[in-house]
Amino acid sequence: MPSGKSAAGDPGIISGSVSLTAFASTMARVFVYGTLKKGQPNYKHMINTAKGLAKFQGRGHTVEKYPLVIAGKYNIPYMLNIPGTGHHIAGEIYSVDEQMLQFLDEFEGCPDMYQRTLMRIQVVEWEGKGGAGEARADGVLECFVYSTATFPPEWVGLPYYDSYDSSGQHGLAYVLRESRE
């Protein structure tokens, strides 16, 4: 709460702290498919509360097919924003606060390297409270996804994956930012 503001009379404030209802309404859903997933090299950022809050909700995959490629000299996973081409991409669903969303925008080089767009995600496993919450009857949620429409044309010819693992059989080891030249 900004300094100098009173909580009195604000239904979203209980005993000086944000109620669950108010907290939930300030959260955004983000679908991660690459190095930010559990067990991957950049997952540490998702659990670093100094960067904001991210709560794991479940697993899913894109409703539309997209190309997921590993590209560039640092072997970065990219979901190319070419709907209808490629695979249903597997990943994880998180609820994040505004601070984490801003961190992710910066981390993902948004809007130059990646663009944050809403995509439909089919929930396949849910750990969040109250079921899949805002999912439609068919288990589909809208989540923010960092994909790219700004890529070199030759990336379309790279192998497409349906899931990313930095130590996968592709043999393309991801290079951490701190290890880059």
Side-chain angles (χ1 to χ4, degrees):
M1 169 178 297
S3 117
K5 300 257 181 171
S6 167
D10 184 339
I13 303 294
I14 300 171
S15 304
S17 64
V18 178
S19 74
L20 253 91
T21 305
F23 180 71
S25 69
T26 63
M27 302 293 278
R29 286 225 167 86
V30 175
F31 176 78
V32 298
Y33 57 85
T35 66
L36 292 167
K37 295 187 308 185
K38 290 180 181 183
Q40 297 303 309
N42 289 317
Y43 177 67
K44 62 189 176 206
H45 299 300
M46 297 299 285
I47 57 174
N48 182 348
T49 55
K51 298 183 188 312
L53 299 175
K55 183 177 182 332
F56 176 79
Q57 297 288 288
R59 290 178 172 69
H61 61 77
T62 58
V63 170
E64 297 285 333
K65 292 180 177 182
Y66 291 93
L68 172 59
V69 301
I70 302 171
K73 65 181 181 176
Y74 303 122
N75 296 321
I76 298 172
Y78 293 92
M79 181 189 298
L80 307 183
N81 197 345
I82 308 173
T85 300
H87 302 285
H88 299 282
I89 308 302
E92 299 173 347
I93 302 163
Y94 289 83
S95 289
V96 301
D97 67 3
E98 184 63 31
Q99 182 183 349
M100 178 60 80
L101 194 60
Q102 287 179 2
F103 166 78
L104 291 172
D105 279 354
E106 290 173 27
F107 182 79
E108 299 289 10
C110 188
D112 300 323
M113 190 159 115
Y114 291 95
Q115 296 80 48
R116 176 169 44 99
T117 58
L118 279 173
M119 289 186 186
R120 294 178 308 136
I121 304 299
Q122 176 70 54
V123 175
V124 295
E125 179 185 328
W126 193 256
E127 292 184 13
K129 293 192 174 179
E134 298 156 20
R136 300 184 329 206
D138 59 1
V140 173
L141 283 172
E142 282 207 331
C143 298
F144 285 120
V145 180
Y146 292 91
S147 63
T148 185
T150 54
F151 54 87
E154 60 269 18
W155 286 9
V156 175
L158 293 172
Y160 296 168
Y161 301 93
D162 61 359
S163 181
Y164 176 79
D165 184 336
S166 62
S167 57
Q169 293 183 353
H170 49 71
L172 301 169
Y174 175 77
V175 179
L176 289 167
R177 289 181 184 199
E178 51 269 23
S179 300
R180 297 176 188 171
E181 300 168 356

